[in-house]
Amino acid sequence: MKAITSRDNPLYKRLKALAGSTHQQRRSGHALLEGFHLASAYLDVAGQPETCIVTEGALHHVEAQAIVGRIDEQRVVTLPDALFGQLSNVVNGVGMLLLVERLVVPLPERVTQTCLVLDGVQDAGNVGSILRSAAAAGVPHVFCAPGTAYAWSSKVLRSGMGAHFLLQIHEDVEAQALIERLAVPAVMTDSHGADAIYDTDLSGPLVWVFGNEGAGVSAPWRDAHTRRVTIPQPGGMESLNVAAAAAICLFEQCRQQRAA
Amino acid sequence: MKAITSRDNPLYKRLKALAGSTHQQRRSGHALLEGFHLASAYLDVAGQPETCIVTEGALHHVEAQAIVGRIDEQRVVTLPDALFGQLSNVVNGVGMLLLVERLVVPLPERVTQTCLVLDGVQDAGNVGSILRSAAAAGVPHVFCAPGTAYAWSSKVLRSGMGAHFLLQIHEDVEAQALIERLAVPAVMTDSHGADAIYDTDLSGPLVWVFGNEGAGVSAPWRDAHTRRVTIPQPGGMESLNVAAAAAICLFEQCRQQRAA
């Protein structure tokens, strides 16, 4: 275990640059996982992190000790609270971060299972919530189109609550590259003149496409003979938050599969 | 129409204090509605705002002109962009804010219709998303317990997308005061040994209780003979974001009511 005490330490400078910039996180292919829950979810599926960063105080916690105990000693560094604070995105955090490479998965040759396309979903909280719903519904693949909030950013990781490690997340997937590989129908929600989700057979594999919060689904997906379904909304409001709509659709599919 | 040009103007100082503090918004009972969509939703249901604040540039937009045209001229003030910017919570906003009193509704004598209790839901984005789902599902009343993000804060208003004006939102409702008034069963989600929502009759009126993101539903509601239901989750992940869970429950109820 190594102690870093100077803000001029090269690793510390690198961590600070990463922590402060989603762009830098995306460019470097590295992610910062904050807190015990994400750290332990990562260790369960991916093995050793590049580095585990803890405050000296955190080492007194039983939970932190359990996690540090799973990591090669030479990969652990300690930081004073003041230096750690500048890396943290969480108020009253627990004083633990893992520096890891993001998990990269190859695009499947053919898409044959139910999966999700995030077609420009912009809000990090929405992306995290949708990843969590996908993991809960047992949907294995999520394809993120350009314009979608970066899935491995600190904010999306935090709201995903470990879903990242139960899913195969594909970044920067162009619509055309995916459309060519589809062996199952694509579906999008549309409030105008489409069949209700309850009246549509959703029990087989489907590619769900959810679009940008403002602009909706992009032209290539709209043009791809994508089936349209609607969520009947008996109230006066005619739209749902995209993460709420995704949850309703995925779990209506689960309900139909369970009933079948 | 009055032009404010000085940052020492008393109204401007008041607006700036409000814009910068959710606490101040809650304490004063006033809210700031930013953008055309919220402004027009407010005018549709509540009549005249206290003040409409626009930038000189915004007045060139047709949409802004339409909204300003619905407001008494003596209630409209213009601000230079630089002063307006300090009131705005939106990047690249449209340059329009309404200052309004929040809508206050009395607690019903008896709760006889389907309604929602937010029992310490902390994240403003989650509260906004749930309000939107409630409005879409046609659920008229939302009761916010202490500890819930303030519904009339700028962030919740923004993510609610106008749902505030289709609902009766009750703030600071203590569990006991509401439990005494219930004429319909209360329901909470629970992943342990509860009936699946699909196997539970949800077609009648229900009080849905959704708890804090970390701690869940509070003791008074857990002790109140609240019925437990579970959302079956076939994936490995065993939890959903609270706003996603609320959407799934409310729309499963809509599905059952539609089928009945």
Side-chain angles (χ1 to χ4, degrees):
Chain A
M1 206 176 295
K2 193 187 149 191
I4 294 180
T5 53
S6 159
R7 59 186 72 243
D8 294 326
N9 174 286
L11 172 61
Y12 182 73
K13 282 160 80 171
R14 182 177 152 221
L15 290 168
K16 212 176 144 198
L18 261 184
S21 158
T22 299
H23 176 69
Q24 190 62 25
Q25 292 166 11
R26 189 194 276 267
R27 222 172 54 117
S28 73
H30 284 81
L32 287 170
L33 311 181
E34 185 151 11
F36 302 147
H37 181 77
L38 284 181
S40 126
Y42 177 86
L43 293 171
D44 289 345
V45 307
Q48 294 292 310
E50 186 172 317
T51 308
C52 168
I53 305 105
V54 281
T55 61
E56 287 134 15
L59 288 172
H60 299 297
H61 285 265
V62 179
E63 276 189 282
Q65 289 163 4
I67 289 166
V68 169
R70 298 171 68 185
I71 299 171
D72 300 342
E73 213 183 318
Q74 74 273 23
R75 294 174 188 268
V76 181
V77 302
T78 61
L79 280 182
D81 287 349
L83 293 197
F84 188 91
Q86 295 187 43
L87 306 181
S88 172
N89 275 293
V90 177
V91 185
N92 301 322
V94 294
M96 170 174 286
L97 276 169
L98 298 193
L99 170 65
V100 305
E101 281 188 46
R102 77 171 168 96
L103 307 181
V104 177
V105 281
L107 218 53
E109 281 300 310
R110 303 287 288 159
V111 175
T112 56
Q113 291 173 290
T114 287
C115 64
L116 217 64
V117 177
L118 305 188
D119 186 27
V121 177
Q122 207 176 299
D123 179 79
N126 284 340
V127 172
S129 172
I130 295 175
L131 294 178
R132 219 170 140 184
S133 294
V139 171
H141 289 275
V142 179
F143 301 94
C144 301
T148 300
Y150 179 50
W152 295 90
S153 68
S154 302
K155 273 191 192 169
V156 176
L157 279 159
R158 193 162 63 243
S159 68
M161 293 282 286
H164 290 72
F165 308 113
L166 298 167
L167 297 169
Q168 313 248 304
I169 302 173
H170 307 262
E171 282 286 343
D172 286 319
V173 180
E174 297 287 349
Q176 214 42 57
L178 195 58
I179 289 167
E180 285 166 6
R181 291 162 197 249
L182 296 189
V184 299
V187 183
M188 59 183 268
T189 59
D190 180 349
S191 50
H192 303 293
D195 290 328
I197 49 171
Y198 314 122
D199 303 332
T200 307
D201 180 5
L202 306 172
S203 63
L206 293 174
V207 177
W208 290 100
V209 185
F210 293 99
N212 177 265
E213 288 85 346
V217 167
S218 66
W221 282 106
R222 276 188 272 115
D223 296 344
H225 301 289
T226 301
R227 208 156 126 196
R228 280 143 207 254
V229 295
T230 188
I231 302 171
Q233 292 166 45
M237 186 106 188
E238 281 183 11
S239 77
L240 286 161
N241 165 276
V242 63
I248 293 166
C249 290
L250 290 178
F251 280 83
E252 171 59 14
Q253 186 177 24
C254 288
R255 186 192 68 80
Q256 292 190 15
Q257 288 169 340
R258 187 173 177 269
Chain B
M1 205 176 300
K2 192 185 150 193
I4 294 180
T5 54
S6 159
R7 59 187 72 241
D8 295 324
N9 175 285
L11 172 61
Y12 182 72
K13 281 160 80 171
R14 181 175 153 226
L15 290 168
K16 211 177 147 196
L18 261 185
S21 160
T22 299
H23 175 69
Q24 190 60 26
Q25 292 166 13
R26 187 193 277 269
R27 220 172 55 115
S28 74
H30 283 81
L32 287 170
L33 312 181
E34 183 152 11
F36 303 146
H37 181 75
L38 284 180
S40 126
Y42 177 86
L43 293 172
D44 288 345
V45 306
Q48 293 292 309
E50 186 172 317
T51 309
C52 168
I53 305 104
V54 281
T55 60
E56 287 135 15
L59 288 172
H60 298 297
H61 285 265
V62 179
E63 276 187 282
Q65 289 163 5
I67 289 166
V68 169
R70 297 172 67 185
I71 299 171
D72 299 344
E73 212 182 322
Q74 74 273 22
R75 294 175 187 267
V76 181
V77 302
T78 62
L79 279 182
D81 287 349
L83 293 196
F84 187 92
Q86 293 186 44
L87 306 180
S88 171
N89 275 293
V90 177
V91 184
N92 302 322
V94 294
M96 170 174 286
L97 277 169
L98 297 193
L99 170 66
V100 305
E101 280 187 47
R102 77 170 169 97
L103 306 182
V104 177
V105 282
L107 219 51
E109 280 302 311
R110 303 287 289 159
V111 175
T112 56
Q113 291 174 291
T114 288
C115 65
L116 217 64
V117 177
L118 304 188
D119 185 27
V121 177
Q122 206 177 299
D123 179 80
N126 283 341
V127 172
S129 172
I130 295 174
L131 294 178
R132 218 169 141 185
S133 293
V139 171
H141 290 275
V142 178
F143 301 94
C144 300
T148 300
Y150 180 50
W152 295 89
S153 67
S154 301
K155 272 190 189 170
V156 176
L157 279 159
R158 193 162 64 242
S159 67
M161 293 281 288
H164 290 71
F165 309 112
L166 298 167
L167 297 169
Q168 314 248 305
I169 301 173
H170 306 261
E171 281 287 341
D172 286 319
V173 180
E174 297 287 349
Q176 215 42 58
L178 194 60
I179 288 167
E180 286 165 6
R181 291 163 197 249
L182 297 190
V184 299
V187 183
M188 58 183 268
T189 59
D190 180 349
S191 49
H192 302 295
D195 290 329
I197 49 171
Y198 314 123
D199 303 331
T200 306
D201 180 5
L202 306 172
S203 62
L206 292 174
V207 177
W208 290 100
V209 186
F210 292 99
N212 177 266
E213 287 85 346
V217 167
S218 66
W221 282 105
R222 277 188 273 115
D223 296 344
H225 300 289
T226 301
R227 206 154 127 199
R228 280 144 207 252
V229 295
T230 188
I231 302 170
Q233 291 165 45
M237 187 107 188
E238 281 183 12
S239 76
L240 286 160
N241 165 276
V242 63
I248 293 165
C249 290
L250 291 177
F251 280 84
E252 171 59 13
Q253 186 178 23
C254 288
R255 186 192 67 81
Q256 292 189 16
Q257 288 168 341
R258 187 171 176 269

